[in-house]
Amino acid sequence: MWGSAVDSVVGLAVGRGTGPELARVFERTLDTLGEVWGTRFSVSRSPRLYHSYFSLKGLGPEQIRESTEGDAAQYEQFCRTQASAGIQAVFRTAINAQSLYLVRQRLRAVKVDVIESTGATLLLVRDEAQGFYTGENTHSPGAVSRTTEFSRDITDEVIAFAVDRARRQWPDTGADQIVMAYKFHLLDGALGEWVAESAARHGVDIALAQPDTVNRNLIERGLSPRMMIIGGNEWADVMHPFLLDRFGRERQENRFTENAHLDPAVRGLLEYQTVHGSADDIEGRDIVNPVATVRATAAIAERHGGCAGAIGAMEDAITATVAQGVSTPDLGGADSTTSVLDALLKCVESAR
């Protein structure tokens, strides 16, 4: 039922592959949550359909470079426009990583995921603003070079964000352990100095460790009760599915994450995304898993649209549909995207 309507605008950016199908999932879910909670949502949609990795296959290097730069420039401007209009949230389906990392570097992005485990919580903060995934390519005959950069200022900004996020996660205690997983031995000792300076400035203890050391300790010791890992982009990218599987006991196909931005012009804008990729191989078949998308939509509705309880209601709906045996083929089921979404939204509506 409609209550007193409140206008809430949400951004939407769509990539190729299964992106258009998930965009429809997002919009339908947002409409349903708005109707149930009495919030009138409107969507500010980017006019561009962004490339996936597979949609660029078959193009030459110069064509790929032009296409990725075009996507990056347009998406960066889209985010800046949303932020300047006061929009607080954007939902984005998967797009080509080369374009995406250019935008993340320019907007100084950090990705956040909270992974709940038995007796412990991991706050994973991924530094997307600098490092080996950033930079641009230079081509010469038979070779391609990529120059990347780390800086004291960005390192401090990432740590400051992470420490503040940990204090919001655990307001009474903060994190009991903070680890940074970076290939710092490649940086002539500079990163170690910057981390020590920043830790002292923010009044926290930070253990800077090589990624293989962090991995070994996680395997041997597990998580501390309130653990935060600030991960270099490449380490956190590779390890995220492992961390979800080992500690969250959940597959990445069901998860979403949020990206915050440290650039002052877009600091108030959060980008929500599914953890899974564009899944071009199942494009148009109505079998892409909608769970991560509906979870992200519920989070946006609750946090940015005043739909208190939407997250919990969606989690209850997911639990109920799983108990009914309703799921897409990637989770061992035989149901379509549409059928799963129908079941989820029916549960949400009936619970209210």
Side-chain angles (χ1 to χ4, degrees):
M1 298 289 293
W2 283 101
S4 57
V6 177
D7 287 330
S8 184
V9 184
V10 179
L12 173 62
V14 184
R16 302 193 188 201
T18 55
E21 296 166 71
L22 292 175
R24 290 192 290 272
V25 170
F26 170 76
E27 291 183 296
R28 185 179 164 199
T29 304
L30 194 66
D31 284 345
T32 298
L33 295 176
E35 183 173 352
V36 170
W37 266 267
T39 296
R40 180 167 290 125
F41 289 100
S42 61
V43 173
S44 173
R45 185 169 183 149
S46 170
R48 191 179 186 103
L49 183 64
Y50 300 95
H51 282 285
S52 67
Y53 168 76
F54 287 97
S55 72
L56 292 169
K57 293 184 73 173
L59 300 181
E62 189 57 36
Q63 292 173 298
I64 291 176
R65 184 174 183 174
E66 290 177 0
S67 296
T68 55
E69 175 55 42
D71 278 356
Q74 200 284 336
Y75 186 54
E76 178 188 358
Q77 186 56 51
F78 175 74
C79 289
R80 292 189 182 278
T81 300
Q82 304 312 293
S84 66
I87 295 172
Q88 298 178 342
V90 169
F91 176 72
R92 175 187 54 73
T93 72
I95 67 175
N96 174 48
Q98 191 168 336
S99 299
L100 189 57
Y101 289 129
L102 285 172
V103 178
R104 288 171 171 171
Q105 178 183 2
R106 294 166 185 173
L107 301 183
R108 305 208 294 275
V110 285
K111 181 178 288 186
V112 179
D113 196 6
V114 178
I115 300 174
E116 300 285 355
S117 188
T118 304
T121 300
L122 171 62
L123 175 59
L124 178 64
V125 177
R126 175 174 163 185
D127 177 2
E128 301 172 310
Q130 60 181 346
F132 301 113
Y133 280 16
T134 59
E136 299 186 41
N137 297 332
T138 301
H139 291 263
S140 59
V144 57
S145 302
R146 189 171 182 86
T147 301
T148 61
E149 181 178 276
F150 290 84
S151 77
R152 174 187 277 109
D153 288 345
I154 291 179
T155 300
D156 185 61
E157 287 181 355
V158 170
I159 290 173
F161 170 88
V163 170
D164 177 72
R165 183 64 179 78
R167 287 170 177 160
R168 286 187 281 123
Q169 181 72 30
W170 301 289
D172 296 329
T173 59
D176 62 8
Q177 185 180 11
I178 303 175
V179 175
M180 289 185 69
Y182 282 73
K183 297 287 285 186
F184 67 88
H185 68 297
L186 300 178
L187 302 175
D188 301 326
L191 187 65
E193 291 182 4
W194 301 340
V195 170
E197 292 169 0
S198 187
R201 184 160 45 253
H202 297 292
V204 294
D205 293 323
I206 299 177
L208 177 62
Q210 299 291 348
D212 60 332
T213 301
V214 176
N215 295 350
R216 185 176 65 249
N217 289 341
L218 286 170
I219 292 169
E220 293 180 354
R221 305 171 190 172
L223 303 176
S224 61
R226 302 180 307 279
M227 186 173 189
M228 177 167 69
I229 301 179
I230 305 171
N233 210 353
E234 62 288 345
W235 177 86
D237 179 31
V238 172
M239 288 298 294
H240 195 187
F242 166 80
L243 296 170
L244 287 171
D245 180 73
R246 187 175 183 90
F247 300 115
R249 295 174 177 82
E250 190 162 30
R251 295 178 57 174
Q252 65 175 346
E253 288 82 1
N254 287 343
R255 296 283 294 197
F256 76 94
T257 56
E258 61 186 68
N259 295 279
H261 304 97
L262 305 181
D263 182 324
V266 291
R267 189 176 288 272
L269 182 70
L270 288 176
E271 178 201 67
Y272 293 78
Q273 64 162 108
T274 59
V275 177
H276 63 73
S278 57
D280 295 61
D281 57 320
I282 58 171
E283 176 184 358
R285 295 172 57 191
D286 194 29
I287 57 171
V288 62
N289 185 344
V291 171
T293 298
V294 299
R295 277 178 161 161
T297 312
I300 289 171
E302 179 164 329
R303 298 170 186 172
H304 306 283
C307 301
I311 296 173
M314 189 60 72
E315 289 302 315
D316 290 344
I318 292 168
T319 300
T321 56
V322 169
Q324 295 164 12
V326 179
S327 63
T328 46
D330 62 300
L331 299 179
D335 296 283
S336 68
T337 306
T338 302
S339 296
V340 174
L341 183 60
D342 287 344
L344 288 168
L345 297 184
K346 182 178 179 181
C347 286
V348 170
E349 290 171 323
S350 62
R352 295 285 293 186

